Amino acid sequence: FSLLLVFGHPFKTLAKRLSAAGAALAGWQGACDCGGAIGLVIKDEDLFPPGTLAISGVTVLSKVSRDRLISCTGSLIIRSGSGLSDTFAEYMRAQRCHVLPVDDFACYEGGGLSGLVGSDRILVGSSGFMNLMGIRLQENLNIKNAIFCAINDRLSGVFLVNYNPIGSVQSALMTILTRKILSLFAIRDFNITTMMLKQKFKIPSDRAECIEVLSYSERYRLSEPPERKKQPTALVLREGLAPYVQTILGGRSLQTAVYIGAVISLLGAILGLVIMFLMCKKGAFEAATASNTLMFMTAWLIPIFFLSGLTSKY
C-alpha cells in the first residue's frame, strides 16, 4: 500500500504548494532534474522582475540631441538583452524614439558595451567602465547605478536608473545562499554587481561570498536559451526569483521523500514476509488473518504521510 503512494501523495502536497506560487513541476522527471542539477542559473529578471526598474532622469552632456542620445543608448541596451531592455524599450516609446541597428556589438569585462550606430562609435557602461576607456568623469558625475553613454569617445549623457528590490526576491536569495546552493549569476546588466546585491538585498558578508562571479562571456553563454529542445523540468508563470527557487527546492525535497519512502516500503514488505513466515512456521495460522494483514499493511502508510511534510517544509 505504501509503495503505491510513495510518489503520489508527496507530489500532491508539493503540487498544491507550487500552484499557489504560480509554478508546476513536470512529474518525477522534473524532480530528478532538480535533484541532479549542479546549480541555479540566475538571470537579470529573476533579481529585478518587470516593474522594479525605472529610468528617473536623463542628462545630456554634449551637443548631441536628446533623442539621439536616448536612441543610441537604448539600442545598445536592447541589443545586450539585459534586464534593462524592456525598461529602455518602454522609455523610448514614451519619448517617441526609435531602436537603431547596431553593428560590431561587443561586451567588455570592465562592465560596458560598445557598438556602431551608423557612423558613430557608442560606448555604454558604468562610471568605472568610462574611466577604463579613457573617458574622464567629473566628480559630481560619479553616480551609483547610473548608465553613461559616450559617442565617439566623448561623454554625451547619463541615465539615472532606480533599482527597487522586493521582499520575495530577498527571501529567496537568502534561502539559496544560506543553503550554499551553487548560484551562477548570469547577469548581463553591468550595474548589478556583488556589492550592489549585498547593499540592495541586505546580504551578510559571509553569505555574499557564496555568489559565483562569472566573466561576461560566461554570463551571456549561460543566459542564452538552450540550443536543443529538452523535456521541461517545470513551468514557472510568475516573475522573480521566489517561485523559481521554490520549484527547485520542492523538486529536490520530493526526490528525497520518494527515496526514503521507497526504502521504508521495501523494509515493511520484507518485515511482513518474515513475520508471516515465522507465524506459519510456528503454526499460528489464526494470527495470520486477512484483517491482521490489512492492518499491518495500512500501518505502513503512516510514514508516507509524514514524509509528505518534507515537500511543504523546504
Side-chain angles (χ1 to χ4, degrees), residues 109 176 200 212 228:
E109 293 298 331
I176 60 176
K200 287 288 185 180
E212 187 75 14
R228 61 183 182 89

Side-chain angles (χ1 to χ4, degrees), residues 8-304:
H9 196 270
F11 181 71
K12 176 186 175 182
T13 304
L14 177 62
K16 185 177 181 180
R17 182 182 177 92
L18 292 182
S19 177
L25 191 68
W28 175 244
Q29 184 59 47
C32 292
D33 290 341
C34 293
I38 298 174
L40 304 181
V41 177
I42 300 175
K43 303 179 182 180
D44 300 51
E45 57 272 16
D46 295 325
L47 297 174
F48 293 97
T52 60
L53 301 176
I55 299 174
S56 59
V58 180
T59 302
V60 181
L61 302 175
S62 67
K63 295 181 180 180
V64 66
S65 67
R66 189 173 186 272
D67 291 347
R68 177 69 175 175
L69 173 66
I70 295 174
S71 294
C72 290
T73 307
S75 298
L76 254 72
I77 293 292
I78 293 173
R79 175 68 175 79
S80 71
S82 73
L84 286 168
S85 298
D86 292 339
T87 302
F88 264 89
E90 293 178 4
Y91 187 77
M92 291 172 68
R93 284 194 294 267
Q95 300 296 320
R96 297 182 179 180
C97 298
H98 303 284
V99 179
L100 304 175
V102 178
D103 298 321
D104 296 333
F105 174 81
C107 175
Y108 292 81
E109 293 298 331
L113 313 170
S114 72
L116 292 177
V117 177
S119 59
D120 295 327
R121 180 173 181 260
I122 312 298
L123 296 176
V124 174
S126 60
S127 58
F129 173 72
M130 291 296 163
N131 290 324
L132 287 175
M133 301 302 291
I135 300 173
R136 301 303 176 185
L137 306 178
Q138 299 177 4
E139 292 185 0
N140 61 341
L141 291 179
N142 193 12
I143 308 171
K144 293 182 179 180
N145 304 331
I147 295 177
F148 296 86
C149 176
I151 300 178
N152 296 325
D153 296 329
R154 183 177 181 182
L155 186 63
S156 300
V158 56
F159 294 75
L160 302 181
V161 182
N162 292 333
Y163 292 81
N164 302 309
I166 56 178
S168 60
V169 173
Q170 181 183 16
S171 300
L173 196 56
M174 289 300 299
T175 298
I176 60 176
L177 293 179
T178 300
R179 298 195 179 195
K180 296 183 179 180
I181 298 174
L182 178 61
S183 303
L184 304 175
F185 287 80
I187 307 299
R188 298 190 178 192
D189 186 352
F190 43 78
N191 276 333
I192 303 178
T193 62
T194 303
M195 183 60 66
M196 187 259 213
L197 293 176
K198 180 180 176 181
Q199 294 174 350
K200 287 288 185 180
F201 294 102
K202 301 178 181 178
I203 302 174
S205 299
D206 57 334
R207 301 304 177 190
E209 296 176 355
C210 299
I211 298 177
E212 187 75 14
V213 179
L214 303 175
S215 64
Y216 276 91
S217 59
E218 284 295 309
R219 298 183 191 187
Y220 274 70
R221 184 183 66 83
L222 288 174
S223 57
E224 284 288 340
E227 296 181 357
R228 61 183 182 89
K229 294 182 179 180
K230 58 176 294 186
Q231 184 176 351
T233 298
L235 179 66
V236 182
L237 298 179
R238 293 182 184 173
E239 301 286 349
L241 188 62
Y244 177 33
V245 171
Q246 288 184 31
T247 303
I248 300 300
L249 294 182
R252 289 187 170 190
S253 64
L254 175 62
Q255 186 185 44
T256 301
V258 171
Y259 284 158
I260 296 175
V263 172
I264 291 175
S265 298
L266 291 175
L267 290 176
I270 295 172
L271 181 60
L273 288 173
V274 172
I275 293 174
M276 188 66 70
F277 173 77
L278 293 177
M279 287 190 299
C280 294
K281 183 178 180 180
K282 293 182 179 181
F285 300 106
E286 66 280 359
T289 61
S291 59
N292 288 341
T293 304
L294 180 62
M295 186 180 301
F296 175 84
M297 296 178 66
T298 305
W300 284 91
L301 288 173
I302 297 176
I304 304 303

